Amino acid sequence: MSMDFDAIVVGSGITGGWAAKELTEKGLKVLMIERGRMIEHGTDYVTETKAPWEMEFRGEGDAKLYADEYPVQRLNRHFTEFTQNHFVNDKDNPYAVADGTKFNWWRSYQLGGRSLTWGRQSYRWSDYDFGANKADGYGTDWPIRYADLAPWYDYVEEFIGVSGAAEGLASLPDGKFQPPMALNVVEQHVRKAIAQRWPDRCLTVGRTANLTAPKEGRAPCQYRSICARGCSYGAYFSTQSSTLPAAQATGRLTVVTDSLVEAVDYDPATKKATGVRVVNVKTGERSRYGARIIFLNASAFNSVHILLRSRSEAFPNGLANSSGVLGTHVMDHASTLSTMALIPGFEDRTTFGNRPTGVVIPRYRNLDKKDGDFTRGYSFQGGALQSGWTAAKRSAGIGKAYKEQNRKVGGWRMVFVGFAESLPRVTNRLTLDPVKLDPQGLPMLNIHFEHGDNERRALADAKAEAAKMMEAAGGHVIMGFDEPGVGGSAIHEMGGARMGHDPATSVLNRWSQAHDIANLFVTDGAQMSSSACQNPSLTYMALTARACDHAVSLMKEGAL
Amino acid sequence: MSTDKATEPRPAVKGADRRQVLGGAVVLSALAGIPLYAWNREREGRDGAGATDSEKLLLARLSDLVVPATGTPGAVAVGVPAFVELALLHGLEDTASEDSGKVKMGGDRGGLPLLEEVKKGLNRHADAPFLTLSPERQHIALESYDAEAFAPEQKDHPWKKIKGLILTGYYTSEVGASRELQYELVPGRYDPDLPLPVNNRSWSSDWTAVDFG
């Protein structure tokens, strides 16, 4: 067959955009395939500048439509009338869950994928994270360590623009930061109170892929905090604002949209992937593209889904699955609102502008000594805010005095949301549903996911410690929880095609390359062997850039 | 804010005031003149769906009792009743829910039946048909009913939902969001520590406060 392209990149989200950029910049002719619709930067952000009164449902959206067609997506805090066009229609994109389990799978099928809707929190992992599986025996040892990835973190941060404060913490390594966004007056106070009592705990501003200084045709953040509508300033990292223009500038990128990759084709004679089979989701038309190398960047669960669907005589249980572990050991952070507290003493202070990031308290448990009754750790994200008009919904009152009260800025409150590391477990697993078919006639993905006791113990400690920290800062705790949200709630689902040393127990090698198939790379969340407790996207990006570099080196050597 | 009305004796208000009924009709006809595209679309698009005239009248009275005209227009003047009707038809604020948060898909009238519950509750607190009372007596009856709804032991209460929609309708209207409160789509900067003015107005465009406040 003819080689239409040097490389095919499946998916156009956070890692797909990176793969397209890196491979085209290294001289390859690349096809990027996106299952969702085209979204042009700027012009297609149709709700970006709308006011609530310009929206039919004032920004809250049509609850009846949502119940019928968006029953899962509607549970996401970022899903509103302003952003619904950046999330999937659940009715058209069904998935199955194992009996007795739940999983909220929040998805964005469109050019740019979830890079348009992501939380933008950008954290490096440390050797506490890369060494965790080896240290306690859960999962398989990562075949890489921090030193392998550090230069790639540098490379990615400098390109996407990450604002943050260097703190010199071993558990959350510093990066190449743009100037940090500011902590507000209450957060500054709480930072000091925590540092005073717990020298090993640090509250710092969230490291976020929102620019605080201009960068290559992108303007700095305007402090609107409506990112998920799309940002025509290009102030946050998305495929559209950042990697896509770079890839397009090479003249070597072809993009197709509305095209679902049904399967990756494999030639048992050469032991290589030869291309992909595609179905147009609008017309049902089927076609095929060929390439010398294939990068799967369809998002963790979808990349696994493609491999599971790509069955052949050589790989009856899914492509690149000679180990049998494909689909297993999937993870998502166990998260919950650990505490909410009123913080008195700042009634005469306020802020201006909407900062698109919160604060973070990096992991402090079980680092160099075991000081929690669980393995690994948790971190907090949150922030201090003053309530606005919606507080009136919880208040008795009517009439003039009530209206007068409602116009005022409310009291300060602070929240810490705990994110506990999710252990890799063989029982948390993706399979092809044996019965149910999706609208394309393909077997649905079946998700079996449950949080375990370790996550619950970590969140119990998080709740207790969060309350202590609030109280040390003079806060009055008004609520707190330790039961994790339904799986998927952290939107950090990952794993399923894990990296490892041994082809018998892992899908990918240290270069995100399939042990079984040399020209097949999986560089999205599927490759993760553990979950750490910080946001994973920056690590996916660094691993993608590193894998692209390796793949092109192998091609130049003639090894691919 | 008054929150202790539940413990006070229920006001003994009896007798209809015919002038207030007529006054209500005037309010209703005034509503028809407001450019309420959503309301009108709903009326045209559905056979028999939508609020009845008496439900519209009740919504109008409740809206202005919760958010009356002050230095800025009140709820009726900015079209809140039409928004609440649309919102109820589409089950916003869990108003069309069966069990816990599950929105009912069949009912043409969505959450509108909640208004009947609210009317019964108000009549109970007024010891008279609520809509026949003078505005002052309506205020007293609603204040008493409101205190019941927001008493600590109450969980779900139909009035909380209707009141929530009235507040949403008002504070997301152009007047409510940008004249009663302040609205700035593009702040352009972040000031982390400013003195709060004595006559402060909150920001309807502080989306974090709207979500978590």
Side-chain angles (χ1 to χ4, degrees), chain A residues 48-58 60-65 67-68 74 77 80 82 181-188 221-226 229 233 340 347-355 384-410 412-413 415, chain B residues 1-3 37 41 46 65-70 72-74 78-79 83 86 89-94 101 103 105 107 139 142-143 146 150 159 163-164 167-174 177-181 183-197 200-213:
Chain A
E48 182 184 358
T49 61
K50 296 273 192 223
W53 58 88
E54 297 172 309
M55 304 297 284
E56 184 175 8
F57 294 94
R58 301 291 179 86
E60 299 209 350
D62 183 349
K64 192 170 180 176
L65 173 74
D68 189 25
R74 73 195 285 253
R77 176 172 89 75
T80 69
F82 294 106
M181 292 183 172
L183 294 176
N184 67 38
V185 57
V186 168
E187 293 159 351
Q188 290 169 30
C221 180
Q222 301 298 306
Y223 295 97
R224 299 183 297 173
S225 201
I226 50 176
R229 298 183 192 183
Y233 296 93
M340 180 186 280
E347 290 73 19
D348 60 344
R349 311 307 297 175
T350 193
T351 58
F352 176 78
N354 306 317
R355 192 188 58 196
L385 63 128
Q386 283 170 298
S387 57
W389 68 266
T390 46
K393 292 187 179 191
R394 298 188 305 272
S395 310
I398 61 170
K400 287 184 180 178
Y402 179 66
K403 184 180 175 186
E404 188 58 33
Q405 181 63 32
N406 294 344
R407 90 186 330 220
K408 293 176 184 166
V409 173
W412 283 97
R413 59 185 61 210
V415 298
Chain B
M1 265 190 307
S2 157
T3 53
Y37 69 96
R41 202 198 63 170
R46 288 160 184 273
L65 285 166
V66 173
V67 188
T70 52
T72 56
V78 304
F83 168 74
L86 177 73
L89 277 167
H90 288 262
L92 273 69
E93 197 105 352
D94 268 342
V103 177
M105 293 312 302
H139 184 97
L142 181 58
E143 200 163 47
D146 181 78
F150 285 86
W159 172 238
K163 182 173 157 180
L167 293 168
T168 298
Y170 187 72
Y171 292 108
T172 61
S173 71
E174 185 165 7
S178 67
R179 285 176 56 193
E180 174 65 13
L181 307 180
Y183 181 85
E184 175 55 71
L185 179 68
V186 190
R189 67 178 193 280
Y190 182 64
D191 297 328
D193 182 13
L194 295 171
L196 184 70
N200 79 81
R201 288 187 295 149
S202 74
W203 294 95
S204 65
S205 48
D206 180 347
W207 313 104
T208 307
V210 168
D211 273 1
F212 294 111

Side-chain angles (χ1 to χ4, degrees), chain A residues 466-523:
Chain A
K468 284 182 207 166
M469 288 189 276
M470 291 292 193
E471 282 159 5
H476 304 302
V477 172
I478 51 177
M479 64 172 78
F481 304 95
D482 55 9
E483 182 64 19
V486 171
S489 296
I491 329 183
H492 294 158
E493 78 277 5
M494 63 181 113
R498 69 183 185 184
M499 220 187 245
H501 301 278
D502 185 354
T505 57
S506 59
V507 178
L508 305 173
N509 68 16
R510 64 197 316 266
W511 303 105
S512 317
Q513 180 184 26
H515 286 298
D516 293 337
I517 303 167
N519 67 338
L520 177 65
F521 295 78
V522 183
T523 74

Side-chain angles (χ1 to χ4, degrees), chain B:
Chain B
M1 265 190 307
S2 157
T3 53
D4 56 357
K5 287 291 180 189
T7 57
E8 293 182 5
R10 182 178 298 167
V13 190
K14 289 185 197 291
D17 183 334
R18 184 168 163 72
R19 283 170 305 171
Q20 286 311 312
V21 178
L22 293 173
V26 171
V27 169
L28 186 60
S29 64
L31 286 177
I34 298 171
L36 305 170
Y37 69 96
W39 185 350
N40 290 332
R41 202 198 63 170
E42 283 300 319
R43 284 162 61 96
E44 287 158 15
R46 288 160 184 273
D47 255 351
T52 64
D53 284 355
S54 74
E55 284 169 342
K56 287 182 196 298
L57 184 55
L58 179 65
L59 262 181
R61 285 306 304 137
L62 293 173
S63 297
D64 260 4
L65 285 166
V66 173
V67 188
T70 52
T72 56
V76 168
V78 304
V80 168
F83 168 74
V84 177
E85 183 181 348
L86 177 73
L88 288 171
L89 277 167
H90 288 262
L92 273 69
E93 197 105 352
D94 268 342
T95 49
S97 60
E98 285 171 303
D99 310 321
S100 50
K102 189 174 182 301
V103 177
K104 190 161 40 186
M105 293 312 302
D108 262 352
R109 305 193 77 243
L112 281 168
L114 277 184
L115 286 172
E116 189 60 30
E117 287 183 54
V118 167
K119 191 171 90 180
K120 282 181 189 162
L122 286 165
N123 291 349
R124 181 163 47 81
H125 278 259
D127 275 343
F130 175 79
L131 283 175
T132 65
L133 302 177
S134 70
E136 293 74 22
R137 287 173 170 179
Q138 286 179 337
H139 184 97
I140 291 166
L142 181 58
E143 200 163 47
S144 165
Y145 182 52
D146 181 78
E148 170 196 292
F150 285 86
E153 68 274 13
Q154 286 284 353
K155 284 188 177 171
D156 276 349
H157 193 288
W159 172 238
K160 279 189 186 170
K161 294 181 176 180
I162 300 294
K163 182 173 157 180
L165 289 172
I166 290 170
L167 293 168
T168 298
Y170 187 72
Y171 292 108
T172 61
S173 71
E174 185 165 7
V175 164
S178 67
R179 285 176 56 193
E180 174 65 13
L181 307 180
Q182 307 182 77
Y183 181 85
E184 175 55 71
L185 179 68
V186 190
R189 67 178 193 280
Y190 182 64
D191 297 328
D193 182 13
L194 295 171
L196 184 70
V198 177
N199 292 313
N200 79 81
R201 288 187 295 149
S202 74
W203 294 95
S204 65
S205 48
D206 180 347
W207 313 104
T208 307
V210 168
D211 273 1
F212 294 111

Side-chain angles (χ1 to χ4, degrees), chain A residues 389-471:
Chain A
W389 68 266
T390 46
K393 292 187 179 191
R394 298 188 305 272
S395 310
I398 61 170
K400 287 184 180 178
Y402 179 66
K403 184 180 175 186
E404 188 58 33
Q405 181 63 32
N406 294 344
R407 90 186 330 220
K408 293 176 184 166
V409 173
W412 283 97
R413 59 185 61 210
M414 187 150 192
V415 298
F416 290 153
V417 176
F419 288 82
E421 177 154 0
S422 175
L423 294 180
R425 294 186 178 85
V426 69
T427 49
N428 283 337
R429 178 168 197 180
L430 308 175
T431 53
L432 292 182
D433 194 278
V435 179
K436 295 175 185 159
L437 300 178
D438 68 18
Q440 283 73 42
L442 304 170
M444 269 188 216
L445 188 68
N446 185 300
I447 304 171
H448 180 136
F449 183 86
E450 291 169 291
H451 291 298
D453 286 344
N454 195 67
E455 287 86 334
R456 287 186 167 77
R457 282 200 296 274
L459 287 182
D461 187 60
K463 177 186 174 185
E465 295 301 311
K468 284 182 207 166
M469 288 189 276
M470 291 292 193
E471 282 159 5

